[in-house]
Amino acid sequence: MNKNHFAAIALFLLLITIIISCQKFEPAAPAEDSILDGPVENLTSAQNLQHLAGDVGFNDQVFTAATGLGPVFVATSCGSCHAGDGKGHPFTTLTRFGKNDSLGRNEFDHGPQLQERAIPGYAPEKLPEGTSFAKFMPPINTGLGFIELVSEDDILAMAVGNVNNPDGVRGHPNWALLPTYIKIRPNSKNQGNRYITRFGKKASTYNLLHQTILAYNQDMGIASSFDPSDVFTLLDTDPEISDKIIRDLVFYLQTLKTPIQRDQHNSDVIRGKDLFVQIGCESCHKQTLKTGVSPVLALDNKNFHPYTDLLVHDMGPGLDDGYTEGSAKTSEWRTAPLWGLGLAPKSQGGQFFLLHDGRARSIDEAIRMHGGEALVIKNRYNALQENEKQKVIKFLNSL
Amino acid sequence: MIFIAVSAQAQIDTTLLRRTPADTSKRKMNMDAIYSRPTLQAGKFPVSLGGYVEANYQHLGTDGISEGHQFQFRRLTLFVSSTISSRIKFLSEIEFEPADKEISIEFAAVDVEFHPLFNLRGGMIVNPIGAFNQNHDGPKWEFTDRPISTEKMLPATWSNAGFGVYGKYYQNKWLFGYELYLTSGFDNTIIENEFNRTYLPAAKANTERFEESNNGEPLITGKVAVKNTGIGELGLSYMGGIYNKYQDDGLRLDDKRRVDVFAVDMNTSIKRTGTTFIGEYAWIFVNVPQTYSQQFGNKQHGGFLDIVQPILKNNLLGWRNAVLNLACRLEYVDYNVGRFKETGGNIGDEIWSVMPAVSFRPNPQTVFRLNYRIQKQRDIFANPAINTAGFSFGISTYF
């Protein structure tokens, strides 16, 4: 063997070494608390498979005219509005208009949602002149399965607990009509034919299936066996998506992990949290809720920390857009869950677009835009020393 | 036909096989790439055969997630060429890509020479946009992957049925070449696709374009190039036309919408060091309906620069004049140039890549290459980049 052969063998061994140690040269996973997507822990293999199938439906399935998009629409895929399962961006903010109930019945035939985009050859919808409307920023998706499992008794208890709130905080569940495809939970509370709904800016959808079908139909113009109506003709049409894809996608949403708080042991964060509670924010932004029974082990009877009470509250004239859904009044909005708040810029292009329509460009601005039932508490926040305010914001950023 | 050819070869005395080496004279330009390939000819049999094969191993990871060890058989390409009679030639290139379950004719054209400055070409033509689309054979490159801008922004390899003319003129050290073709072209899929972006390569899936134009409008492709044998080559090219189906059965469906592509390509060498630079940059302008989604941009640009430095040229492992190169590819593509209507903020959807490489050429027709890719990709909202990195090793050879 000559020198060259040794060189060849060395090169071959180098290649093998590189192949074996490949992963050492690849980007490490980001810290678990720095991202929103990912499943809850301890899913079974079958549940993992369904979660992955739903992930494909949510993040990879892009609709085109050929696969049913529109013809009028807001977005081409679920993932377009929820990058990394995070909050949305003004680009995909929804516009809802008119007077509406949760069945989508609206004084305008093409309400309640504006489809302001259209496939080539079609004209998009325009807002009817003079109608009131509100813009809805897409929310983060994570932890939705936990919220879905909060018992109605607990939601009602939180409303009852506010009756004598000295700060004037009240709040009530949204009672809304349900579409016929919704399977009512056993012992679900009702007021006539209205039920407690909990998802969405106005808390007007009953569960994640309801939310998903609405999004397919109103955001992407996708008809399904659950809601076969075409957004353009308003006539029933053939399903453009299978029930299985929808079920998998709902399971995906149900099994996304909850956001993980960062810097929990930082003294400023701890002090900020104390101040948050002390000035009364927790009256609405309830720190801990509890799930009920679930076949998914990680969701079954768990305490979790969404910072919401799932009730709608009067937020004052500044946030009254003149539009509503269900039994909520036009000035009433569901308490926004605060978990994942600090990660919002990671899905909003490095900026904050907060409150229901993204009008607040910082956490401080969002707090200062609170009114109505939150007025007393907002004034307490305003009265804090500057460094105390910063600690509250640091705490909120850690969520 | 392949089977017959193989059988025919098996029955002949292999000493009759004559290798026609690639013409490496300095009078070749990128436009000559299709003829500038090594082929085999049997005796006076008027047909030459050749081809190349490309296979890779890769291990890439994206933010902590890897698909593991991947063994890829990228493609097998066969060339069949023939001089039919004086000044009439035929050449074809048939590509097998098992991953796409695709056997495609990339090029199959008859060339008729009237004058060196005026040749007629008809058949299946590779549109001369940039240089890579025409000069894409695996063994010519030091990298396992094709440039992102040529394959994911421009549609390499992009060929169409059509006719055109080309010619070349040279004097002393200077060469001038031109090409002009009318072919069938793109379709609506460039803005209606599952890639969720304006994506010219989506039109490759429409094989009907080889038989029937989508809209009856020709795609015009033209290129001029100038070369100094002591300096290098510079090419300017354009490709454009109406891409959408704006009418059908005499009925108007949409406005006529254009796609226009401009590209500049260059290659040069520093004689003293032997360093070679090969680069290409392209700009794409697409008329996207104002009422469609900004997800599909109306401007794109991107390109690549390859730097190749021979570091060893010697008799190695029994191969005469084997060459060891160091190389690096720099790449960038902005898939969506513009600003959001809603915020005025920059639209992201861009990708950067740096790929250092080592390549070993035991002979000019064969290359072993080891690459390490470092890639960053940002989504449409310009959120924090997704990081990808990893090794790939491959072999590619003419045969």
Side-chain angles (χ1 to χ4, degrees):
Chain A
M1 268 206 301
N2 63 26
K3 242 178 8 182
N4 282 338
H5 291 109
F6 279 117
I9 292 166
L11 188 65
F12 182 73
L13 289 176
L14 175 68
L15 267 177
I16 298 291
T17 309
I18 287 171
I19 288 170
I20 290 170
S21 56
C22 267
Q23 262 173 312
K24 305 272 183 212
F25 297 92
E26 293 169 9
E32 194 63 17
D33 61 9
S34 70
I35 52 172
L36 290 168
D37 56 349
V40 293
E41 288 178 348
N42 301 321
L43 291 181
T44 64
S45 299
Q47 289 167 341
N48 272 328
L49 283 167
Q50 193 174 7
H51 180 90
L52 285 171
D55 192 353
V56 170
F58 192 89
N59 289 303
D60 298 342
Q61 187 170 21
V62 175
F63 290 97
T64 65
T67 54
L69 178 68
V72 288
F73 65 96
V74 177
T76 51
S77 71
C78 304
S80 299
C81 296
H82 307 272
D85 289 310
K87 269 181 178 290
H89 183 275
F91 170 61
T92 50
T93 296
L94 312 172
T95 302
R96 295 207 177 146
F97 61 93
K99 286 180 191 146
N100 174 60
D101 61 32
S102 68
L103 277 176
R105 289 189 304 219
N106 193 276
E107 80 230 65
F108 299 104
D109 286 345
H110 284 267
Q113 189 163 302
L114 186 74
Q115 283 87 35
E116 76 269 35
R117 299 183 175 111
I119 62 172
Y122 284 79
E125 290 180 352
K126 287 186 176 163
L127 264 181
E129 231 170 89
T131 186
S132 52
F133 66 91
K135 288 193 173 276
F136 287 10
M137 176 66 66
I140 65 169
N141 298 327
T142 51
L144 294 180
F146 290 83
I147 288 176
E148 189 177 43
L149 286 165
V150 175
S151 75
E152 293 180 0
D153 285 336
D154 285 356
I155 294 173
L156 287 168
M158 286 186 278
V160 170
N162 287 339
V163 169
N164 296 315
N165 184 291
D167 295 332
V169 172
R170 295 294 178 263
H172 62 87
N174 195 346
W175 298 89
L177 299 166
L178 302 183
T180 52
Y181 61 77
I182 291 295
K183 193 174 163 190
I184 309 291
R185 297 181 197 97
N187 306 317
S188 205
K189 307 287 185 272
N190 65 301
Q191 288 184 348
N193 55 354
R194 289 178 177 268
Y195 291 83
I196 294 176
T197 47
R198 64 182 73 190
F199 289 106
K201 304 294 179 190
K202 292 281 186 186
S204 63
T205 50
Y206 186 74
N207 58 15
L208 290 172
L209 177 69
H210 189 183
Q211 186 70 26
T212 300
I213 298 304
L214 262 182
Y216 269 125
N217 192 270
Q218 292 291 305
D219 299 357
M220 295 173 271
I222 298 298
S224 62
S225 68
F226 299 97
D227 183 352
S229 62
D230 179 88
V231 286
F232 187 71
T233 62
L234 305 181
L235 300 172
D236 284 359
T237 186
D238 296 328
E240 292 160 326
I241 189 166
S242 74
D243 289 5
K244 181 184 182 307
I245 292 175
I246 290 171
R247 299 283 186 200
D248 288 345
L249 193 142
V250 169
F251 186 79
Y252 168 77
L253 294 173
Q254 287 169 332
T255 50
L256 282 168
K257 71 178 190 191
T258 57
I260 302 166
Q261 191 185 356
R262 297 160 307 288
D263 302 324
Q264 288 183 57
H265 306 297
N266 179 289
S267 57
D268 287 352
V269 170
I270 292 168
R271 177 64 184 142
K273 185 176 178 180
D274 290 344
L275 288 166
F276 176 86
V277 175
Q278 203 176 305
I279 63 176
C281 303
E282 213 195 8
S283 299
C284 301
H285 292 285
K286 293 274 191 287
Q287 185 182 167
T288 303
L289 300 181
K290 187 171 187 259
T291 64
V293 176
S294 169
V296 178
L297 201 61
L299 301 177
D300 184 41
N301 286 304
K302 299 286 184 215
N303 287 326
F304 64 104
H305 311 292
Y307 293 88
T308 178
D309 58 6
L310 303 178
L311 303 175
V312 291
H313 295 268
D314 179 357
M315 296 302 290
L319 294 175
D320 185 347
D321 293 341
Y323 169 81
T324 196
E325 294 170 355
S327 67
K329 297 184 180 70
T330 54
S331 62
E332 289 180 330
W333 298 93
R334 187 190 70 161
T335 306
L338 297 179
W339 59 5
L341 181 59
L343 298 180
K346 287 196 169 188
S347 63
Q348 297 189 310
Q351 306 166 73
F352 275 115
F353 295 98
L354 302 177
L355 292 182
H356 65 275
D357 55 1
R359 69 177 74 178
R361 303 305 307 279
S362 68
I363 294 175
D364 176 66
E365 194 177 6
I367 297 170
R368 285 188 284 106
M369 284 179 175
H370 280 53
E373 295 175 27
L375 191 60
V376 172
I377 295 159
K378 180 185 76 173
N379 289 339
R380 283 196 199 120
Y381 169 80
N382 284 337
L384 291 174
Q385 300 291 322
E386 191 53 39
N387 70 331
E388 291 177 318
K389 281 185 196 168
Q390 290 309 315
K391 284 170 185 166
V392 172
I393 291 168
K394 194 163 180 179
F395 159 66
L396 292 170
N397 253 319
S398 76
L399 295 177
Chain B
M1 190 191 118
I2 296 156
F3 178 72
I4 293 167
V6 170
S7 305
Q9 282 197 19
Q11 290 168 27
I12 62 171
D13 179 350
T14 53
T15 59
L16 296 175
L17 290 172
R18 182 159 51 90
R19 178 162 286 281
T20 311
D23 185 344
T24 55
S25 75
K26 290 182 175 177
R27 286 188 179 153
K28 290 291 175 189
M29 302 173 77
N30 275 317
M31 65 184 285
D32 302 309
I34 54 165
Y35 285 111
S36 178
R37 293 158 159 164
T39 54
L40 272 179
Q41 201 171 0
K44 292 187 177 176
F45 192 57
V47 174
S48 296
L49 296 172
Y52 72 89
V53 67
E54 213 169 3
N56 294 334
Y57 159 84
Q58 75 175 28
H59 196 296
L60 294 176
T62 299
D63 286 340
I65 297 173
S66 172
E67 296 295 324
H69 303 282
Q70 300 293 326
F71 300 90
Q72 306 168 326
F73 184 83
R74 285 277 170 85
R75 56 185 63 83
L76 167 69
T77 299
L78 297 176
F79 315 133
V80 181
S81 64
S82 169
T83 299
I84 297 163
S85 70
S86 170
R87 294 185 293 152
I88 300 179
K89 291 184 288 186
F90 167 80
L91 188 139
S92 64
E93 179 179 343
I94 300 160
E95 189 160 278
F96 301 77
E97 291 187 334
D100 298 330
K101 294 180 184 149
E102 189 176 273
I103 300 174
S104 61
I105 301 170
E106 284 201 338
F107 184 92
V110 177
D111 284 7
V112 183
E113 181 186 347
F114 295 98
H115 182 276
L117 258 176
F118 189 79
N119 300 268
L120 179 69
R121 174 173 286 170
M124 182 88 85
I125 289 162
V126 175
N127 300 66
I129 184 71
F132 187 89
N133 198 44
Q134 285 184 310
N135 199 0
H136 57 260
D137 293 356
K140 291 185 176 176
W141 300 84
E142 316 306 315
F143 303 90
T144 54
D145 295 318
R146 291 178 167 182
I148 298 165
S149 62
T150 63
E151 199 173 35
K152 309 285 185 200
M153 185 185 80
L154 294 173
T157 308
W158 174 240
S159 50
N160 284 289
F163 289 87
V165 292
Y166 69 91
K168 217 164 72 170
Y169 174 78
Y170 61 86
Q171 191 166 37
N172 303 324
K173 287 184 166 182
W174 290 93
L175 291 86
F176 166 79
Y178 80 91
E179 294 173 87
L180 181 66
Y181 302 106
L182 298 181
T183 65
S184 50
F186 294 99
D187 57 45
N188 295 47
T189 60
I190 68 174
I191 63 159
E192 292 181 60
N193 58 63
E194 294 177 0
F195 299 91
N196 220 12
R197 64 164 61 107
T198 296
Y199 192 70
L200 269 55
K204 287 168 69 177
N206 175 21
T207 52
E208 281 184 18
R209 72 184 193 278
F210 301 126
E211 177 65 28
E212 183 183 353
S213 169
N214 166 56
N215 53 21
E217 299 278 350
L219 181 72
I220 299 170
T221 312
K223 181 170 183 180
V224 290
V226 61
K227 181 176 178 177
N228 180 296
T229 53
I231 302 173
E233 180 174 344
L234 178 70
L236 299 172
S237 48
Y238 164 79
M239 174 170 71
I242 306 293
Y243 69 86
N244 66 325
K245 197 177 185 75
Y246 59 88
Q247 63 173 4
D248 196 12
D249 209 13
L251 300 176
R252 187 176 186 80
L253 305 176
D254 193 7
D255 295 334
K256 286 184 179 182
R257 302 191 188 280
R258 289 189 63 82
V259 55
D260 294 288
V261 185
F262 299 89
V264 56
D265 60 83
M266 56 73 69
N267 62 72
T268 187
S269 295
I270 301 172
K271 273 191 181 162
R272 197 166 57 83
T273 59
T275 317
T276 303
F277 300 86
I278 303 169
E280 180 175 322
Y281 209 88
W283 294 262
I284 297 173
F285 301 87
V286 182
N287 179 342
V288 178
Q290 287 288 316
T291 52
Y292 197 45
S293 173
Q294 274 192 291
Q295 192 88 43
F296 297 85
N298 54 15
K299 285 182 215 149
Q300 299 180 321
H301 61 79
F304 72 95
L305 175 67
D306 285 2
I307 306 162
V308 183
Q309 176 63 59
I311 54 168
L312 191 63
K313 199 170 190 177
N314 213 332
N315 296 339
L316 289 172
L317 301 169
W319 286 299
R320 296 179 61 189
N321 291 324
V323 180
L324 187 67
N325 295 302
L326 285 181
C328 188
R329 170 173 288 168
L330 309 171
E331 302 183 79
Y332 173 71
V333 176
D334 187 342
Y335 290 110
N336 196 337
V337 180
R339 297 192 163 272
F340 284 112
K341 290 175 194 165
E342 292 80 4
T343 63
N346 180 48
I347 299 176
D349 205 3
E350 33 194 352
I351 187 167
W352 300 260
S353 171
V354 177
M355 191 150 61
V358 178
S359 70
F360 174 65
R361 290 184 175 273
N363 60 60
Q365 281 82 41
T366 304
V367 60
F368 297 88
R369 41 206 182 187
L370 175 65
N371 301 168
Y372 179 68
R373 182 185 284 282
I374 306 159
Q375 178 180 295
K376 287 181 178 289
Q377 184 161 16
R378 294 203 305 179
D379 67 11
I380 188 170
F381 303 122
N383 286 317
I386 293 167
N387 300 293
T388 298
F391 281 100
S392 57
F393 171 78
I395 181 170
S396 185
T397 185
Y398 284 112
F399 54 84

